[in-house]
Coordinates of all heavy atoms in Angstrom, one line a residue:
M1 N 205.8 34.8 -15.7 CA 206.4 34.3 -14.6 C 206.7 32.8 -14.7 O 207.0 32.2 -13.7 CB 205.4 34.6 -13.4 CG 205.7 33.8 -12.2 SD 204.5 33.9 -10.9 CE 204.0 35.6 -10.9
A2 N 206.6 32.2 -15.7 CA 206.7 30.7 -15.9 C 208.0 30.2 -15.1 O 209.1 30.2 -15.6 CB 206.8 30.4 -17.4
K3 N 207.8 29.7 -14.0 CA 208.9 29.2 -13.2 C 209.1 27.8 -13.6 O 208.1 27.0 -13.8 CB 208.5 29.2 -11.7 CG 208.3 30.6 -11.2 CD 209.5 31.5 -11.3 CE 209.3 32.9 -10.8 NZ 210.1 33.9 -11.5
T4 N 210.4 27.3 -13.7 CA 210.6 26.1 -14.2 C 210.6 24.9 -13.2 O 210.4 23.8 -13.5 CB 212.0 26.0 -14.9 OG1 213.0 26.5 -13.9 CG2 212.0 27.0 -16.1
N5 N 210.8 25.3 -11.9 CA 210.7 24.2 -10.9 C 210.1 24.7 -9.7 O 209.9 25.8 -9.4 CB 212.1 23.6 -10.7 CG 213.1 24.5 -10.1 OD1 212.7 25.3 -9.2 ND2 214.3 24.5 -10.6
T6 N 209.8 23.7 -8.8 CA 209.1 24.0 -7.5 C 209.9 25.0 -6.6 O 209.3 25.9 -6.0 CB 208.8 22.7 -6.8 OG1 208.1 21.9 -7.6 CG2 208.1 23.0 -5.5
T7 N 211.2 24.8 -6.6 CA 212.1 25.7 -5.8 C 212.0 27.1 -6.2 O 211.8 28.0 -5.4 CB 213.5 25.2 -5.8 OG1 213.5 23.8 -5.4 CG2 214.4 26.0 -4.9
E8 N 212.1 27.4 -7.5 CA 212.0 28.7 -8.0 C 210.6 29.3 -7.8 O 210.5 30.5 -7.4 CB 212.3 28.8 -9.5 CG 213.7 28.6 -9.9 CD 213.9 28.6 -11.4 OE1 212.9 28.9 -12.2 OE2 215.0 28.3 -11.9
L9 N 209.6 28.5 -7.9 CA 208.3 29.0 -7.7 C 208.0 29.4 -6.2 O 207.5 30.4 -5.9 CB 207.2 28.0 -8.1 CG 205.8 28.5 -8.1 CD1 205.3 28.8 -9.5 CD2 204.9 27.6 -7.4
L10 N 208.5 28.5 -5.3 CA 208.4 28.7 -3.9 C 209.2 30.0 -3.5 O 208.7 30.8 -2.7 CB 208.9 27.5 -3.1 CG 207.8 26.6 -2.6 CD1 208.5 25.3 -2.1 CD2 206.8 27.1 -1.7
E11 N 210.4 30.1 -4.0 CA 211.2 31.3 -3.7 C 210.5 32.6 -4.1 O 210.5 33.6 -3.4 CB 212.6 31.1 -4.3 CG 213.5 30.1 -3.6 CD 214.8 29.9 -4.3 OE1 215.1 30.6 -5.3 OE2 215.6 29.1 -3.8
A12 N 210.0 32.6 -5.4 CA 209.3 33.7 -5.9 C 208.0 34.0 -5.1 O 207.8 35.2 -4.8 CB 208.9 33.5 -7.4
L13 N 207.3 33.0 -4.8 CA 206.1 33.2 -3.9 C 206.4 33.7 -2.5 O 205.8 34.6 -2.1 CB 205.3 31.8 -3.8 CG 204.1 31.8 -2.9 CD1 203.0 32.7 -3.5 CD2 203.5 30.4 -2.8
A14 N 207.4 33.1 -1.9 CA 207.8 33.6 -0.6 C 208.3 35.1 -0.6 O 207.9 35.8 0.3 CB 209.0 32.7 -0.1
A15 N 209.0 35.4 -1.7 CA 209.5 36.8 -1.7 C 208.3 37.8 -1.9 O 208.3 38.8 -1.3 CB 210.4 37.0 -3.0
E16 N 207.4 37.4 -2.8 CA 206.2 38.3 -2.9 C 205.4 38.4 -1.7 O 204.9 39.5 -1.3 CB 205.4 37.8 -4.1 CG 204.3 38.9 -4.6 CD 203.7 38.6 -5.9 OE1 204.2 37.8 -6.7 OE2 202.7 39.3 -6.2
I17 N 205.2 37.3 -1.0 CA 204.4 37.3 0.3 C 205.2 38.2 1.3 O 204.5 39.0 2.0 CB 204.2 35.8 0.8 CG1 203.2 35.1 -0.1 CG2 203.8 35.8 2.2 CD1 203.1 33.6 0.2
G18 N 206.5 38.0 1.4 CA 207.3 38.6 2.3 C 207.3 40.2 2.2 O 207.4 41.0 3.1
E19 N 207.2 40.7 0.9 CA 207.2 42.1 0.6 C 205.8 42.7 0.7 O 205.7 43.9 0.7 CB 207.7 42.3 -0.8 CG 209.2 41.9 -0.9 CD 209.7 41.9 -2.4 OE1 208.8 42.3 -3.3 OE2 210.8 41.6 -2.6
T20 N 204.7 41.9 0.7 CA 203.3 42.4 0.6 C 202.6 42.3 1.9 O 201.9 43.2 2.3 CB 202.6 41.7 -0.5 OG1 203.4 41.8 -1.7 CG2 201.3 42.3 -0.7
V21 N 202.8 41.2 2.6 CA 202.0 40.8 3.8 C 202.7 41.2 5.0 O 203.9 40.9 5.1 CB 201.6 39.3 3.7 CG1 200.7 38.9 4.9 CG2 200.9 38.9 2.5
Y22 N 202.0 41.8 6.0 CA 202.6 42.2 7.2 C 201.8 41.9 8.4 O 200.6 41.8 8.3 CB 203.0 43.7 7.2 CG 201.8 44.6 7.0 CD1 201.0 45.0 8.0 CD2 201.5 45.1 5.7 CE1 199.9 45.9 7.7 CE2 200.5 45.9 5.4 CZ 199.7 46.3 6.5 OH 198.6 47.2 6.2
I23 N 202.5 41.8 9.5 CA 201.8 41.7 10.9 C 201.6 43.1 11.4 O 202.5 43.9 11.3 CB 202.7 40.9 11.8 CG1 202.9 39.4 11.4 CG2 202.3 41.0 13.2 CD1 203.9 38.7 12.1
D24 N 200.4 43.3 11.9 CA 200.2 44.7 12.4 C 200.1 44.6 14.0 O 199.2 43.9 14.5 CB 198.8 45.2 11.9 CG 198.5 46.6 12.2 OD1 198.9 47.1 13.3 OD2 197.8 47.3 11.4
V25 N 201.0 45.3 14.6 CA 201.0 45.3 16.1 C 201.1 46.8 16.5 O 202.1 47.5 16.2 CB 202.2 44.5 16.7 CG1 202.3 44.7 18.2 CG2 202.2 43.1 16.2
A26 N 200.0 47.3 17.1 CA 199.9 48.6 17.6 C 200.3 49.6 16.5 O 201.0 50.6 16.7 CB 200.8 48.9 18.8
K27 N 199.7 49.4 15.3 CA 199.9 50.2 14.1 C 201.3 50.1 13.5 O 201.7 50.9 12.7 CB 199.5 51.6 14.3 CG 198.0 51.6 14.7 CD 197.4 53.0 14.6 CE 196.0 52.9 15.2 NZ 195.0 53.5 14.7
W28 N 202.1 49.2 14.0 CA 203.5 49.0 13.4 C 203.3 47.8 12.4 O 202.7 46.8 12.7 CB 204.5 48.6 14.5 CG 204.9 49.8 15.3 CD1 204.2 50.4 16.4 CD2 206.1 50.4 15.2 NE1 205.0 51.4 16.9 CE2 206.1 51.5 16.2 CE3 207.3 50.3 14.4 CZ2 207.1 52.4 16.4 CZ3 208.3 51.2 14.6 CH2 208.3 52.2 15.5
H29 N 203.9 48.0 11.3 CA 203.9 46.9 10.2 C 205.2 46.2 10.2 O 206.2 46.7 9.9 CB 203.6 47.5 8.9 CG 202.3 48.2 8.9 ND1 201.8 48.9 7.7 CD2 201.2 48.2 9.7 CE1 200.6 49.4 8.0 NE2 200.2 49.0 9.2
L30 N 205.1 44.9 10.5 CA 206.3 44.0 10.4 C 206.0 43.1 9.3 O 205.2 42.1 9.3 CB 206.5 43.2 11.7 CG 207.6 42.2 11.7 CD1 209.0 42.9 11.5 CD2 207.6 41.4 13.1
Y31 N 206.8 43.3 8.1 CA 206.5 42.5 7.0 C 207.0 41.0 7.2 O 208.0 40.8 8.0 CB 207.2 43.1 5.8 CG 206.4 44.3 5.2 CD1 206.6 45.5 5.8 CD2 205.5 44.1 4.2 CE1 205.8 46.6 5.3 CE2 204.7 45.1 3.8 CZ 204.9 46.4 4.3 OH 204.2 47.4 3.9
L32 N 206.3 40.1 6.6 CA 206.6 38.6 6.9 C 208.1 38.3 6.6 O 208.7 37.4 7.2 CB 205.7 37.7 6.2 CG 204.2 37.8 6.6 CD1 203.4 36.7 6.0 CD2 204.1 37.8 8.1
S33 N 208.7 39.0 5.6 CA 210.1 38.8 5.3 C 211.0 39.1 6.4 O 211.9 38.4 6.7 CB 210.5 39.5 4.0 OG 210.3 40.8 4.1
N34 N 210.7 40.3 7.0 CA 211.4 40.7 8.2 C 211.2 39.8 9.4 O 212.1 39.7 10.3 CB 211.1 42.2 8.5 CG 211.5 43.1 7.5 OD1 212.5 42.8 6.8 ND2 210.8 44.2 7.3
A35 N 210.0 39.3 9.5 CA 209.7 38.4 10.6 C 210.1 36.9 10.4 O 210.0 36.1 11.2 CB 208.2 38.4 10.9
K36 N 210.7 36.7 9.2 CA 211.3 35.4 8.8 C 210.1 34.4 8.8 O 210.3 33.2 9.1 CB 212.3 34.9 9.8 CG 213.5 35.8 10.0 CD 214.3 36.1 8.8 CE 215.5 36.9 9.1 NZ 215.6 38.1 8.3
L37 N 208.9 34.8 8.3 CA 207.8 33.9 8.2 C 207.4 33.7 6.8 O 206.5 32.8 6.5 CB 206.6 34.5 9.0 CG 206.7 34.5 10.5 CD1 205.6 35.3 11.2 CD2 206.7 33.1 11.1
H38 N 207.9 34.5 5.9 CA 207.5 34.4 4.5 C 207.6 33.0 3.8 O 206.8 32.5 3.1 CB 208.1 35.5 3.6 CG 209.6 35.4 3.6 ND1 210.4 35.6 4.7 CD2 210.4 35.3 2.5 CE1 211.6 35.5 4.3 NE2 211.7 35.3 3.0
T39 N 208.7 32.4 4.1 CA 209.1 31.0 3.5 C 208.1 30.0 4.1 O 207.6 29.1 3.4 CB 210.5 30.6 3.8 OG1 211.4 31.7 3.3 CG2 210.9 29.3 3.2
V40 N 207.9 30.0 5.4 CA 206.9 29.1 6.1 C 205.5 29.2 5.5 O 204.9 28.3 5.2 CB 206.9 29.3 7.6 CG1 205.8 28.5 8.3 CG2 208.3 29.0 8.2
V41 N 205.1 30.5 5.3 CA 203.8 30.7 4.8 C 203.7 30.2 3.4 O 202.7 29.5 3.0 CB 203.4 32.2 4.9 CG1 202.1 32.6 4.1 CG2 203.3 32.7 6.3
A42 N 204.7 30.5 2.6 CA 204.7 30.0 1.2 C 204.7 28.5 1.1 O 203.9 27.9 0.3 CB 205.9 30.6 0.4
E43 N 205.5 27.9 1.9 CA 205.5 26.4 2.0 C 204.2 25.8 2.4 O 203.8 24.8 1.8 CB 206.6 25.9 2.8 CG 208.1 26.1 2.3 CD 209.1 25.8 3.3 OE1 208.9 25.7 4.5 OE2 210.3 25.8 2.9
Q44 N 203.6 26.4 3.3 CA 202.2 25.9 3.8 C 201.1 26.1 2.9 O 200.2 25.3 2.7 CB 201.9 26.5 5.2 CG 202.8 26.2 6.3 CD 202.6 24.8 6.8 OE1 201.5 24.4 6.9 NE2 203.7 24.2 7.2
L45 N 201.2 27.2 2.1 CA 200.1 27.5 1.1 C 200.4 26.9 -0.3 O 199.4 26.8 -1.1 CB 199.9 29.1 1.0 CG 199.4 29.7 2.3 CD1 199.5 31.2 2.2 CD2 198.0 29.3 2.6
Y46 N 201.6 26.5 -0.6 CA 201.9 26.0 -1.9 C 201.0 24.9 -2.3 O 200.6 24.8 -3.5 CB 203.4 25.6 -1.9 CG 203.9 25.1 -3.3 CD1 204.0 26.0 -4.4 CD2 204.1 23.8 -3.5 CE1 204.4 25.5 -5.6 CE2 204.5 23.3 -4.8 CZ 204.7 24.2 -5.8 OH 205.1 23.8 -7.0
P47 N 200.6 23.9 -1.5 CA 199.8 22.8 -1.9 C 198.4 23.3 -2.4 O 197.8 22.7 -3.3 CB 199.6 22.0 -0.7 CG 200.9 22.3 0.1 CD 201.2 23.7 -0.1
L48 N 197.9 24.5 -1.9 CA 196.7 25.0 -2.4 C 196.8 25.4 -3.9 O 195.9 25.3 -4.7 CB 196.2 26.2 -1.6 CG 195.9 25.9 -0.2 CD1 195.4 27.2 0.5 CD2 194.8 24.8 0.0
I49 N 198.0 26.0 -4.2 CA 198.3 26.4 -5.6 C 198.4 25.2 -6.5 O 197.7 25.2 -7.6 CB 199.6 27.2 -5.7 CG1 199.4 28.5 -4.9 CG2 200.0 27.5 -7.1 CD1 200.6 29.3 -4.7
T50 N 199.1 24.2 -6.1 CA 199.3 23.0 -7.0 C 198.0 22.2 -7.2 O 197.9 21.6 -8.3 CB 200.5 22.1 -6.5 OG1 200.2 21.7 -5.2 CG2 201.8 22.9 -6.6
S51 N 197.2 22.2 -6.2 CA 195.9 21.5 -6.3 C 194.8 22.4 -6.9 O 193.6 21.9 -7.0 CB 195.5 20.9 -4.9 OG 195.2 21.9 -4.0
K52 N 195.1 23.6 -7.1 CA 194.2 24.6 -7.7 C 193.0 24.7 -6.8 O 191.8 24.8 -7.3 CB 193.7 24.2 -9.1 CG 194.9 24.0 -10.1 CD 194.8 24.9 -11.2 CE 195.9 24.7 -12.2 NZ 196.8 25.8 -12.4
T53 N 193.2 24.8 -5.5 CA 192.1 24.9 -4.5 C 192.2 26.2 -3.7 O 191.7 26.3 -2.5 CB 192.0 23.7 -3.6 OG1 193.3 23.5 -3.0 CG2 191.7 22.4 -4.4
V54 N 192.8 27.2 -4.2 CA 193.0 28.5 -3.5 C 191.6 29.1 -3.3 O 190.9 29.4 -4.3 CB 193.9 29.5 -4.2 CG1 193.9 30.8 -3.5 CG2 195.3 28.9 -4.3
N55 N 191.2 29.3 -2.0 CA 190.1 30.2 -1.7 C 190.3 30.7 -0.3 O 191.1 30.3 0.5 CB 188.7 29.4 -1.9 CG 188.6 28.3 -0.8 OD1 188.7 28.5 0.4 ND2 188.2 27.1 -1.2
E56 N 189.5 31.8 0.0 CA 189.8 32.5 1.3 C 189.6 31.6 2.4 O 190.5 31.6 3.4 CB 188.8 33.6 1.4 CG 189.0 34.5 2.5 CD 188.0 35.7 2.6 OE1 187.2 35.9 1.7 OE2 188.2 36.5 3.5
D57 N 188.7 30.7 2.5 CA 188.5 29.8 3.7 C 189.7 28.9 3.9 O 190.1 28.7 5.0 CB 187.2 29.0 3.5 CG 186.0 29.8 3.6 OD1 186.0 30.9 4.2 OD2 184.9 29.4 3.1
K58 N 190.2 28.3 2.8 CA 191.4 27.4 2.9 C 192.6 28.2 3.3 O 193.4 27.7 4.2 CB 191.6 26.6 1.7 CG 190.5 25.6 1.5 CD 190.8 24.7 0.3 CE 189.7 23.7 0.2 NZ 189.9 22.7 -0.9
V59 N 192.8 29.4 2.9 CA 193.9 30.2 3.2 C 193.8 30.6 4.7 O 194.8 30.5 5.4 CB 194.0 31.5 2.3 CG1 195.1 32.5 2.8 CG2 194.3 31.1 0.8
I60 N 192.7 30.9 5.2 CA 192.5 31.3 6.6 C 192.8 30.1 7.4 O 193.5 30.1 8.5 CB 191.1 31.8 6.8 CG1 191.0 33.2 6.3 CG2 190.8 31.8 8.3 CD1 189.6 33.8 6.2
Q61 N 192.4 28.9 7.0 CA 192.7 27.6 7.8 C 194.2 27.4 7.9 O 194.6 27.1 9.0 CB 192.0 26.4 7.1 CG 190.6 26.3 7.3 CD 190.0 25.1 6.6 OE1 190.6 24.5 5.6 NE2 188.9 24.5 7.0
V62 N 194.9 27.6 6.9 CA 196.4 27.5 6.9 C 197.0 28.5 7.9 O 197.8 28.2 8.7 CB 197.0 27.5 5.5 CG1 198.5 27.6 5.6 CG2 196.6 26.4 4.7
L63 N 196.5 29.8 7.7 CA 197.1 30.8 8.6 C 196.8 30.6 10.1 O 197.5 31.0 11.0 CB 196.5 32.2 8.1 CG 196.9 32.7 6.7 CD1 196.2 34.0 6.4 CD2 198.4 32.8 6.7
E64 N 195.6 30.0 10.3 CA 195.3 29.7 11.7 C 196.2 28.6 12.3 O 196.4 28.5 13.5 CB 193.8 29.1 11.8 CG 192.8 30.2 11.6 CD 191.4 29.7 11.5 OE1 191.2 28.5 11.2 OE2 190.4 30.4 11.8
S65 N 196.8 27.8 11.4 CA 197.7 26.7 11.8 C 199.1 27.1 12.0 O 200.0 26.3 12.4 CB 197.5 25.5 10.9 OG 198.2 25.8 9.7
I66 N 199.5 28.3 11.6 CA 200.8 28.8 11.7 C 201.1 29.6 13.0 O 200.5 30.7 13.2 CB 201.2 29.6 10.5 CG1 201.1 28.8 9.2 CG2 202.7 30.2 10.7 CD1 201.3 29.6 8.0
P67 N 201.8 29.0 14.0 CA 202.0 29.7 15.3 C 203.1 30.7 15.2 O 204.1 30.5 14.5 CB 202.4 28.5 16.2 CG 203.0 27.6 15.3 CD 202.4 27.6 14.0
V68 N 202.9 31.9 15.9 CA 203.8 32.9 16.0 C 204.1 33.1 17.4 O 203.2 33.5 18.2 CB 203.3 34.2 15.3 CG1 204.4 35.3 15.4 CG2 203.0 34.0 13.8
K69 N 205.4 32.9 17.8 CA 205.8 33.2 19.2 C 205.9 34.7 19.4 O 206.6 35.3 18.6 CB 207.1 32.5 19.5 CG 206.9 30.9 19.4 CD 208.2 30.2 19.8 CE 208.1 28.8 19.5 NZ 207.6 27.9 20.5
I70 N 205.4 35.1 20.5 CA 205.6 36.5 20.9 C 206.0 36.6 22.4 O 205.9 35.5 23.1 CB 204.2 37.3 20.8 CG1 203.1 36.7 21.6 CG2 203.8 37.4 19.4 CD1 201.8 37.5 21.7
G71 N 206.6 37.7 22.8 CA 207.0 37.9 24.2 C 208.2 37.0 24.5 O 208.2 36.4 25.6
G72 N 209.1 36.8 23.6 CA 210.2 35.9 23.8 C 209.8 34.4 24.0 O 210.5 33.6 24.6
G73 N 208.7 34.1 23.3 CA 208.2 32.7 23.3 C 207.3 32.4 24.4 O 206.8 31.2 24.6
R74 N 207.0 33.4 25.2 CA 206.1 33.1 26.4 C 204.6 32.9 26.0 O 203.9 32.2 26.6 CB 206.0 34.3 27.4 CG 207.3 34.3 28.2 CD 207.2 35.4 29.3 NE 207.3 36.7 28.6 CZ 206.9 37.9 29.2 NH1 206.5 37.8 30.4 NH2 207.1 39.0 28.6
K75 N 204.3 33.4 24.8 CA 202.9 33.2 24.3 C 203.0 32.8 22.7 O 204.0 33.1 22.1 CB 202.1 34.4 24.4 CG 201.7 34.7 25.8 CD 200.4 35.5 25.9 CE 200.1 35.8 27.4 NZ 199.0 35.1 27.8
E76 N 202.0 32.2 22.3 CA 201.9 31.9 20.8 C 200.5 32.4 20.3 O 199.5 32.2 21.0 CB 201.9 30.4 20.7 CG 203.2 30.0 19.9 CD 203.3 28.4 19.7 OE1 202.2 27.8 19.4 OE2 204.3 27.9 19.9
L77 N 200.5 33.0 19.2 CA 199.3 33.4 18.5 C 199.3 32.8 17.1 O 200.3 32.7 16.5 CB 199.2 34.9 18.4 CG 199.0 35.7 19.7 CD1 199.0 37.2 19.4 CD2 197.6 35.4 20.3
A78 N 198.1 32.6 16.6 CA 198.0 32.1 15.2 C 198.3 33.3 14.3 O 197.9 34.5 14.6 CB 196.5 31.6 15.0
L79 N 199.0 33.0 13.2 CA 199.3 34.1 12.3 C 198.1 34.9 11.8 O 198.2 36.1 11.8 CB 200.1 33.6 11.1 CG 200.5 34.6 10.0 CD1 201.4 35.7 10.7 CD2 201.3 33.9 8.9
I80 N 196.9 34.3 11.7 CA 195.8 34.9 11.2 C 195.3 36.1 12.1 O 194.8 37.1 11.8 CB 194.6 33.9 11.0 CG1 193.4 34.6 10.3 CG2 194.2 33.3 12.3 CD1 193.6 34.9 8.9
D81 N 195.6 35.9 13.5 CA 195.3 36.9 14.5 C 196.1 38.2 14.4 O 195.8 39.1 15.0 CB 195.4 36.2 15.9 CG 194.3 35.2 16.1 OD1 193.2 35.2 15.5 OD2 194.6 34.3 16.9
L82 N 197.2 38.1 13.7 CA 198.2 39.3 13.6 C 198.1 40.0 12.2 O 198.7 41.0 12.1 CB 199.6 38.7 13.8 CG 199.8 38.1 15.2 CD1 201.2 37.4 15.2 CD2 199.7 39.1 16.3
L83 N 197.3 39.4 11.3 CA 197.2 40.0 9.9 C 196.0 40.9 9.8 O 194.9 40.4 10.1 CB 197.2 38.9 8.9 CG 198.4 38.0 8.7 CD1 198.1 37.0 7.6 CD2 199.7 38.8 8.5
P84 N 196.1 42.1 9.4 CA 195.0 42.9 9.1 C 194.2 42.3 7.8 O 194.8 41.6 7.0 CB 195.5 44.3 8.8 CG 197.0 44.1 8.4 CD 197.4 42.8 9.1
L85 N 193.0 42.6 7.7 CA 192.1 42.1 6.7 C 192.6 42.4 5.3 O 192.6 41.6 4.4 CB 190.7 42.7 6.8 CG 189.7 42.1 5.8 CD1 189.6 40.6 5.9 CD2 188.3 42.8 6.0
Q86 N 193.2 43.6 5.1 CA 193.8 43.9 3.7 C 194.9 43.0 3.3 O 195.2 42.7 2.2 CB 194.1 45.4 3.5 CG 195.2 45.9 4.4 CD 194.8 46.6 5.6 OE1 193.8 46.3 6.2 NE2 195.7 47.4 6.2
C87 N 195.7 42.6 4.3 CA 196.8 41.7 4.1 C 196.3 40.2 3.7 O 196.8 39.5 2.9 CB 197.7 41.6 5.2 SG 198.8 43.0 5.3
Q88 N 195.2 39.8 4.4 CA 194.6 38.5 4.0 C 194.1 38.6 2.6 O 194.3 37.6 1.8 CB 193.5 38.3 5.0 CG 193.8 38.1 6.4 CD 192.6 37.9 7.3 OE1 191.6 37.3 6.9 NE2 192.7 38.5 8.4
V89 N 193.4 39.7 2.2 CA 193.0 39.8 0.8 C 194.1 39.8 -0.2 O 194.1 39.2 -1.2 CB 192.1 41.1 0.7 CG1 191.8 41.4 -0.7 CG2 190.8 41.0 1.6
A90 N 195.2 40.6 0.2 CA 196.4 40.6 -0.7 C 197.0 39.3 -0.9 O 197.4 38.9 -1.9 CB 197.4 41.6 -0.2
L91 N 197.1 38.5 0.2 CA 197.6 37.1 0.2 C 196.8 36.2 -0.7 O 197.4 35.5 -1.6 CB 197.7 36.6 1.6 CG 198.3 35.2 1.7 CD1 199.7 35.1 1.1 CD2 198.3 34.7 3.2
V92 N 195.5 36.3 -0.6 CA 194.7 35.5 -1.5 C 194.8 35.9 -3.0 O 195.0 35.0 -3.8 CB 193.1 35.6 -1.1 CG1 192.3 34.9 -2.1 CG2 193.0 34.9 0.3
D93 N 194.9 37.1 -3.2 CA 195.2 37.7 -4.6 C 196.5 37.1 -5.1 O 196.6 36.7 -6.3 CB 195.2 39.2 -4.6 CG 193.8 39.8 -4.4 OD1 192.8 39.0 -4.5 OD2 193.7 41.0 -4.1
I94 N 197.6 37.1 -4.3 CA 198.8 36.6 -4.8 C 198.7 35.1 -5.1 O 199.2 34.7 -6.2 CB 199.9 36.9 -3.6 CG1 200.3 38.3 -3.5 CG2 201.2 36.0 -3.9 CD1 201.1 38.7 -2.3
L95 N 198.1 34.4 -4.2 CA 198.0 32.9 -4.4 C 197.2 32.6 -5.7 O 197.5 31.8 -6.4 CB 197.3 32.3 -3.2 CG 198.2 32.4 -1.9 CD1 197.4 31.9 -0.7 CD2 199.4 31.6 -2.1
E96 N 196.0 33.4 -5.9 CA 195.2 33.2 -7.1 C 196.1 33.5 -8.4 O 195.9 32.8 -9.4 CB 194.0 34.1 -7.0 CG 193.0 33.5 -6.0 CD 191.8 34.4 -5.8 OE1 191.8 35.6 -6.2 OE2 190.8 33.9 -5.2
K97 N 196.9 34.5 -8.3 CA 197.7 34.8 -9.5 C 198.7 33.7 -9.8 O 198.8 33.2 -10.9 CB 198.5 36.1 -9.2 CG 199.5 36.5 -10.3 CD 200.3 37.8 -9.9 CE 201.4 37.4 -9.1 NZ 202.4 38.5 -8.9
Y98 N 199.3 33.1 -8.8 CA 200.2 32.0 -8.9 C 199.5 30.8 -9.4 O 200.0 30.1 -10.3 CB 201.0 31.7 -7.7 CG 202.2 32.5 -7.5 CD1 202.2 33.9 -7.1 CD2 203.5 32.1 -7.8 CE1 203.3 34.7 -6.9 CE2 204.6 32.9 -7.8 CZ 204.5 34.1 -7.3 OH 205.6 34.9 -7.2
Q99 N 198.3 30.6 -8.9 CA 197.5 29.5 -9.3 C 197.2 29.5 -10.8 O 197.2 28.5 -11.5 CB 196.2 29.4 -8.5 CG 195.3 28.3 -8.8 CD 194.1 28.2 -7.9 OE1 194.1 27.4 -7.0 NE2 193.1 29.1 -8.2
R100 N 196.9 30.7 -11.3 CA 196.5 30.9 -12.7 C 197.7 30.6 -13.6 O 197.6 30.1 -14.7 CB 196.0 32.3 -13.0 CG 194.7 32.5 -12.6 CD 194.1 33.8 -13.1 NE 194.9 35.0 -12.6 CZ 194.8 35.7 -11.6 NH1 193.8 35.3 -10.7 NH2 195.5 36.7 -11.3
E101 N 198.9 30.9 -13.1 CA 200.2 30.8 -13.9 C 200.9 29.5 -13.8 O 201.9 29.2 -14.4 CB 201.1 31.9 -13.5 CG 200.4 33.3 -13.9 CD 201.2 34.5 -13.5 OE1 202.4 34.3 -13.0 OE2 200.8 35.6 -13.6
V102 N 200.4 28.6 -12.9 CA 201.1 27.3 -12.7 C 200.5 26.3 -13.7 O 199.4 26.2 -14.0 CB 200.9 26.8 -11.3 CG1 201.3 25.3 -11.2 CG2 201.6 27.6 -10.3

């Protein structure tokens, strides 16, 4: 996967996150790529990869800081509140893979 520059790495990371991680609402799965959140998540988590500090606690902190508007913007929830546990685990796995390869 040797990406030559930050843009390529971010795009690849965002694509993998978007295809793997989803928001779960009433057992409906909305993948982050469809929710247009995959790029934001990748950009927010990228510094953990480059500093080689990926761990579950730091990933959760970042996810807590990403607001998701619901109900036409009437309410906002942290992204972490919308992700099932298996998606959190999958996200950490993706980030650890990229961290090893950077």
Side-chain angles (χ1 to χ4, degrees):
M1 165 189 318
K3 300 295 174 207
T4 56
N5 64 42
T6 302
T7 303
E8 286 180 7
L9 187 106
L10 264 172
E11 287 174 0
L13 178 62
E16 191 164 348
I17 289 170
E19 295 170 0
T20 306
V21 181
Y22 57 84
I23 292 170
D24 187 329
V25 178
K27 300 192 190 222
W28 285 78
H29 296 173
L30 177 61
Y31 284 86
L32 295 190
S33 59
N34 294 330
K36 308 292 188 236
L37 291 169
H38 60 300
T39 303
V40 171
V41 171
E43 289 170 350
Q44 295 285 322
L45 292 169
Y46 183 73
L48 297 180
I49 293 171
T50 57
S51 65
K52 304 239 185 243
T53 58
V54 172
N55 68 50
E56 187 176 359
D57 290 338
K58 289 188 179 184
V59 171
I60 288 171
Q61 284 179 338
V62 171
L63 294 174
E64 287 173 338
S65 73
I66 299 174
V68 178
K69 292 182 191 276
I70 60 172
R74 286 188 287 163
K75 291 205 182 245
E76 247 181 37
L77 292 175
L79 181 55
I80 189 70
D81 294 332
L82 299 168
L83 298 181
L85 185 56
Q86 67 264 26
C87 285
Q88 293 173 41
V89 171
L91 179 58
V92 172
D93 290 345
I94 291 167
L95 296 170
E96 287 174 342
K97 178 181 81 170
Y98 275 79
Q99 180 176 260
R100 284 189 302 273
E101 297 177 4
V102 170

